[in-house]
Amino acid sequence: MKISEFFNAVKNAVYPRNETCDLCGSELPFKNRLNLCSQCLEKLELNNGKVCLRCGSPVYNEADYCLRCENTSSVFRFNRSPLIYDGLAKKTVLSFKYGEKRYLSDFLAKLMTDEYLKNGITVDVVTFVPMTKKEKRKRGFNQAELLAVKVADSLKLDLCDLLIKTRETPEQKKLSAKERAENMKGIFDCKSDLHGKEVLLVDDVFTTGATANECSKQLLKAGAKGVTVLTAAVTALKPYLS
Ligand SMILES: [Zn+2]
Ligand SMILES: [Zn+2]
């Protein structure tokens, strides 16, 4: 057990989860489904306004699509995300992904399940964006897989490990959307025949859509009827009003 895990275990024993806010640790006056205090819930960047019909990012004018989607084509049906990747929501996703706070997957998966239901999505199978073995070993877990397991479980849907990642991706953060798309080409493969199935592809964050698009291409090539993407958070085109 790592030292940080030990301290988390002690903390969880002293302050049992379900009685403290998952984000700030303050005591909850009463239990609630998301395990969040009212202050955190109020601060959280919920993506519940008008969104781009394709990528699900917030849109603050009359347009159906955001500028990003007007200028690029995607093969998936659409992406939906309950959170905007900014402020407290971004901090939450990052501490789930890198900060060993894996319990935050419960809360993120609940929001994602609500988003699935809210959008009337119906699929036959749930899958996730894969990592290479090396990447998974380095992080200890695949954050997209963990979210997919929980979403599939709460929706009583089949979870299938459909995709493999054939090589590592160089650091994507500093690349332009075009460079990201180039970087992603031919990086994924689908292991199964998906004859006529509707697939839900789960990931943690939707940024340019390059990852989702490449995975979707492989799923469609394997016979999927359609692919819908569900992510915990989506980046907004700035400036945006929050
Ligand atoms: Zn809180
Ligand atoms: Zn868009």
Side-chain angles (χ1 to χ4, degrees):
M1 191 188 264
K2 284 188 200 160
I3 289 199
S4 55
E5 283 175 18
F6 171 76
F7 280 113
N8 272 336
V10 171
K11 203 176 132 205
N12 285 341
V14 179
Y15 303 102
R17 279 195 59 211
N18 301 329
E19 287 172 28
T20 55
C21 170
D22 268 0
L23 297 187
C24 71
S26 71
E27 243 175 84
L28 293 177
F30 48 85
K31 275 190 180 182
N32 63 47
R33 185 174 158 266
L34 289 178
N35 233 44
L36 289 193
C37 72
S38 50
Q39 283 96 323
C40 285
L41 197 57
E42 204 174 298
K43 256 193 269 168
L44 203 64
E45 290 73 7
L46 293 171
N47 189 19
N48 50 13
K50 184 172 178 265
V51 298
C52 167
L53 295 180
R54 178 56 57 94
C55 75
S57 69
V59 170
Y60 295 96
N61 54 30
E62 295 305 305
D64 285 339
Y65 297 95
C66 71
L67 285 176
R68 174 166 54 193
C69 292
E70 266 178 13
N71 299 313
T72 49
S73 58
S74 328
V75 297
F76 51 84
R77 294 190 189 283
F78 56 82
N79 167 67
R80 289 295 177 268
S81 318
L83 297 171
I84 299 168
Y85 195 56
D86 199 13
L88 183 62
K90 182 172 179 177
K91 207 176 133 201
T92 303
V93 173
L94 290 176
S95 50
F96 157 60
K97 201 167 163 177
Y98 302 110
E100 297 183 357
K101 293 191 176 171
R102 284 185 215 179
Y103 62 84
L104 291 173
S105 58
D106 287 347
F107 148 72
L108 294 171
K110 272 179 199 160
L111 287 179
M112 290 165 80
T113 302
D114 291 350
E115 193 67 22
Y116 177 97
L117 296 169
K118 197 173 93 186
N119 285 282
I121 303 168
T122 49
V123 299
D124 302 302
V125 61
V126 179
T127 196
F128 52 88
V129 173
M131 278 178 158
T132 61
K133 275 191 187 141
K134 197 176 159 192
E135 285 169 334
K136 197 169 169 178
R137 216 179 307 126
K138 207 171 148 197
R139 184 166 302 158
F141 74 116
N142 177 349
Q143 74 279 0
E145 180 178 2
L146 186 54
L147 293 173
V149 166
K150 296 196 172 177
V151 167
D153 186 53
S154 56
L155 291 166
K156 307 270 177 291
L157 290 167
D158 283 338
L159 177 86
C160 289
D161 184 0
L162 296 174
L163 294 160
I164 43 170
K165 191 171 175 188
T166 53
R167 58 184 156 89
E168 263 113 78
T169 20
E171 191 63 59
Q172 298 264 76
K173 274 180 203 156
K174 295 191 182 88
L175 301 180
S176 71
K178 210 175 168 189
E179 286 168 326
R180 278 185 188 226
E182 277 301 315
N183 232 353
M184 284 286 161
K185 277 203 176 127
I187 214 166
F188 300 107
D189 252 327
C190 182
K191 307 185 245 191
S192 316
D193 178 16
L194 290 173
H195 193 77
K197 289 210 162 110
E198 277 293 337
V199 180
L200 185 74
L201 175 69
V202 171
D203 202 2
D204 54 346
V205 183
F206 188 102
T207 308
T208 63
T211 306
N213 206 43
E214 277 308 306
C215 288
S216 302
K217 273 185 199 165
Q218 297 308 315
L219 295 167
L220 292 167
K221 217 164 101 185
K225 194 172 153 209
V227 181
T228 304
V229 185
L230 183 65
T231 45
V234 61
T235 56
L237 294 171
K238 295 204 169 174
Y240 74 93
L241 311 159
S242 58

